[in-house]
Amino acid sequence: MPTDNWWRDGVLYQIYPRSFADSDGDGIGDLRGILARLDHLEWLGIDGIWLNPTMPSPNDDWGYDVSDFHSVHPDLGTLEDCDALVAAAAERGIRVLLDLVPNHTSDRHAWFTDAIRGRDARYRDYYVWADPAPDGGPPNNWLSNFGGSAWQLHEPTGQYYLNNFLPSQPDLNWWNDELRDEFDSILRFWFARGIAGFRIDVCHAIVKDRELRDDPAATPDDHPLIRKKGHKQVFSMNRPEVHDVLRRWRALADAHDPPRVLVGETYVLDLDSLIPYYGLGDDELHLAFNFLFVHSELDAEQLRRVVEGMEERLPEGAWPVYTGSNHDAGRLATRWAAGDERRARMALMMLLTLRGTPFLYYGDELALPDVPLDPDTALDPVPRRTGDPSRNRDPCRTPMHWTAEPGGGFTTADARPWLPFGDLDACNVAAQRADPGSTLHLVRDLIALRRRSPELASGSYAALPAPAGAWAWRRGERFVVALNTTGADVVVDDLGGRVAIATDRARDGDAVAGAVRLGPYEGVVVELGA
Ligand code: GLC
């Protein structure tokens, strides 16, 4: 049995490589840039990083349209740069996870350029093809996540191919055994280069219904995002057979020394559908991202329901994972906190003290907000394709703010960053490092507390009574976390000890005798009996 649980006890950090640090002055972040900033991650106390796609891609969907699974995007560097990053990170005790995109390829991947040559092409069956419906239209009612039908007619061969995202991202056919073998060797290729594991893109979606049955209509009790879509995607994705593939990958990951880690983008919006991705006997994903949590409001009741739902349902040995920001959903400082730093600090305290692995998104440690950008000129194709400006993902993919200087410490003073900065003066690493009261120091101190207190990393979760709008829980026997998610004062009773860390750092070390009063959006970690 694998025993190294670094991914369970540690804190992970998601990096959007184009936006973290630019080493060569072209305005685009790259792997050498990340390498040069490892000091920041080590200082912060990060155990592992997940890099958004690093493989060659025409960038129709910014790396999620892979054209070669065995290399590095030239904008980001070379395989040697990747090796150098993995080695330099390892020296600091930081593991590197890459993003694996097995649901689809770019239409410029060699498999697809072959597949469209004819119905008998060598790689035709690597993709999902179907004849037109009797009226000549798409084979079924499946909808693309990026708007419109999920089917694209390929006129020269008279069949439709499936695209759950862009038409230039044809879905792979996971019923094809050779394709399964190809991915085994892709995993092995990267594991052999020292990659600690993968975050697996839309991993719940890869296997489609073999009979291509229509998805049923959403019903009133479905999650609002499913109702917005109009369909329950139970045939176009979320098939039971996906678990065979995940078990296969898990066996492959476990066969490596040290065992590699699988983290899934399991975009399902009810907990009962999420749990199976951990497997029946700890034999599928190590961590399955929880989108009900991401899409909750920063509200004690809503978040508590999700967390306690996981606590009740998770099988023995399985471990939750929590995040408040990512490159699709936006940044917590904006989405959850609406720009109010008190709320962002409280959210960060929550992430770093819940029972589960926290994933921070680069900039979360500064409470970096989304950057308002015009959806009409977005580089992200989604707002245009869907006609929904709120789906613009550029605002949460903008460059990291290292300093207030021109170039932001991200690139040179005269380079034009691929996406604009936000307000560099208002929020940057250098200024926050110099300020012990900053969000950056709060995050670092919370991570350090978690690291030196096994109860906070791996202790049990026990709900405690708290007034409406507040949420309190005990970790192990030694710590209580109490958060106020409202704008009014609340009092949490029955607590005795000392404040280990408060979002208002002036309260650190205060004695707690019987009750703790929390001002608007305040949070405290109390060490019991201390
Ligand atoms: C995932 C990624 C997203 C991408 C999509 C298609 O949801 O997180 O950024 O656009 O997959 O690959």
Side-chain angles (χ1 to χ4, degrees):
M1 269 305 276
T3 50
D4 183 4
N5 287 336
W6 70 269
W7 51 271
R8 227 185 71 151
D9 300 336
V11 175
L12 281 94
Y13 186 97
Q14 177 189 353
I15 291 179
Y16 200 77
R18 293 181 70 84
S19 290
F20 197 61
D22 169 20
S23 71
D24 58 6
D26 63 359
I28 300 170
D30 47 47
L31 300 183
R32 291 272 168 195
I34 298 172
L35 195 157
R37 291 293 186 180
L38 287 172
D39 285 349
H40 171 71
L41 301 175
E42 187 182 14
W43 176 83
L44 199 55
I46 297 301
D47 297 274
I49 52 180
W50 147 35
L51 308 184
N52 280 104
T54 48
M55 298 174 195
S57 161
N59 282 341
D60 288 2
D61 188 23
W62 297 105
Y64 284 103
D65 44 326
V66 176
S67 54
D68 176 359
F69 288 101
H70 295 94
S71 191
V72 170
H73 196 296
D75 286 353
L76 305 180
T78 62
L79 273 176
E80 290 66 39
D81 294 336
C82 181
D83 294 344
L85 172 59
V86 169
E91 280 171 21
R92 292 164 167 82
I94 297 172
R95 283 82 164 180
V96 180
L97 309 189
L98 295 187
D99 212 312
L100 180 72
V101 189
N103 182 68
H104 44 266
T105 67
S106 161
D107 62 354
R108 274 142 281 175
H109 191 288
W111 295 335
F112 194 73
T113 55
D114 173 83
I116 57 174
R117 283 146 62 117
R119 294 192 182 204
D120 297 328
R122 163 81 179 81
Y123 292 102
R124 182 80 171 179
D125 192 51
Y126 273 31
Y127 295 88
V128 183
W129 295 94
D131 291 331
D135 67 357
N140 66 21
N141 73 350
W142 295 356
L143 295 174
S144 160
N145 293 306
F146 288 171
S149 165
W151 295 96
Q152 191 71 22
L153 181 62
H154 181 249
E155 283 181 21
T157 55
Q159 283 190 308
Y160 282 84
Y161 66 86
L162 183 67
N163 63 278
N164 267 310
F165 295 92
L166 297 174
S168 59
Q169 291 171 297
D171 276 54
L172 288 164
N173 173 19
W174 277 90
W175 293 101
N176 183 299
D177 286 331
E178 266 187 88
L179 178 80
R180 292 186 183 211
D181 294 343
E182 300 264 16
F183 269 84
D184 286 355
S185 60
I186 292 167
L187 266 74
R188 285 199 185 93
F189 173 85
W190 290 104
F191 290 163
R193 299 196 94 93
I195 293 300
F198 285 107
R199 174 269 190 185
I200 308 169
D201 193 52
V202 286
C203 86
H204 60 294
I206 61 178
V207 182
K208 332 292 173 199
D209 181 43
R210 211 165 194 169
E211 297 163 37
L212 306 179
R213 282 170 283 184
D214 278 349
D215 279 332
T219 51
D221 53 343
D222 284 324
H223 189 280
L225 289 172
I226 296 176
R227 297 205 307 269
K228 186 173 172 196
K229 174 150 216 121
H231 281 179
K232 273 204 253 276
Q233 292 175 297
V234 293
F235 291 116
S236 54
M237 44 187 74
N238 297 315
R239 300 307 302 153
E241 299 88 353
V242 70
H243 298 287
D244 299 336
V245 181
L246 296 178
R247 275 191 292 274
R248 174 180 178 134
W249 289 344
R250 176 62 182 266
L252 206 152
D254 280 349
H256 284 75
D257 183 21
R260 305 307 205 256
V261 180
L262 304 179
V263 185
E265 188 204 14
T266 37
Y267 199 101
V268 293
L269 294 169
D270 67 284
L271 296 182
D272 290 326
S273 305
L274 180 61
I275 300 297
Y277 287 95
Y278 285 92
L280 288 174
D282 188 21
D283 58 355
E284 297 189 30
L285 298 175
H286 296 86
L287 298 173
F289 272 125
N290 189 324
F291 285 89
L292 267 179
F293 185 86
V294 177
H295 290 305
S296 293
E297 287 167 34
L298 188 59
D299 166 78
E301 269 315 298
Q302 289 190 31
L303 291 162
R304 182 177 178 145
R305 205 175 313 127
V306 176
V307 166
E308 291 177 6
M310 288 303 283
E311 290 291 325
E312 281 156 25
R313 289 173 177 78
L314 264 187
E316 186 71 27
W319 191 248
V321 50
Y322 296 113
T323 184
S325 308
N326 66 36
H327 64 291
D328 295 323
R331 293 183 169 282
L332 67 82
T334 300
R335 210 186 65 261
W336 271 350
D340 183 335
E341 197 166 349
R342 295 170 304 173
R343 297 173 78 182
R345 289 164 73 99
M346 184 258 296
L348 289 159
M349 177 172 278
M350 167 183 76
L351 287 171
L352 293 166
T353 56
L354 279 173
R355 178 181 173 270
T357 299
F359 269 74
L360 300 177
Y361 185 49
Y362 77 102
D364 275 353
E365 71 271 39
L366 307 173
L368 185 70
D370 288 343
V371 178
L373 293 171
D374 180 1
D376 291 336
T377 54
L379 300 183
D380 179 12
V382 173
R384 262 188 317 283
R385 281 196 69 82
T386 57
D388 180 352
S390 73
R391 290 191 65 183
N392 184 10
R393 299 173 294 176
D394 287 358
C396 63
R397 298 174 174 183
T398 57
M400 181 68 167
H401 291 189
W402 296 100
T403 70
E405 322 278 289
F410 163 74
T411 187
T412 53
D414 49 354
R416 186 160 171 262
W418 79 289
L419 283 174
F421 295 109
D423 184 345
L424 286 172
D425 286 321
C427 184
N428 68 74
V429 173
Q432 291 202 19
R433 263 189 87 145
D435 171 8
S438 66
T439 299
L440 179 60
H441 277 275
L442 173 69
V443 169
R444 180 174 188 247
D445 293 346
L446 282 164
I447 293 175
L449 178 66
R450 187 185 167 100
R451 196 186 284 280
R452 64 173 184 269
S453 317
E455 295 91 340
L456 272 181
S458 53
S460 57
Y461 168 98
L464 297 179
W471 181 14
W473 66 88
R474 206 182 58 231
R475 293 295 312 283
E477 298 302 323
R478 221 178 111 205
F479 289 97
V480 165
V481 183
L483 306 178
N484 176 7
T485 66
T486 73
D489 283 10
V490 296
V491 176
V492 177
D493 294 318
D494 287 336
L495 282 183
R498 194 166 291 281
V499 173
I501 300 191
T503 53
D504 170 3
R505 303 306 299 272
R507 300 184 70 174
D508 285 14
D510 282 3
V512 177
V516 66
R517 174 177 293 275
L518 298 175
Y521 310 118
E522 258 196 277
V524 289
V525 180
V526 175
E527 186 172 354
L528 298 172

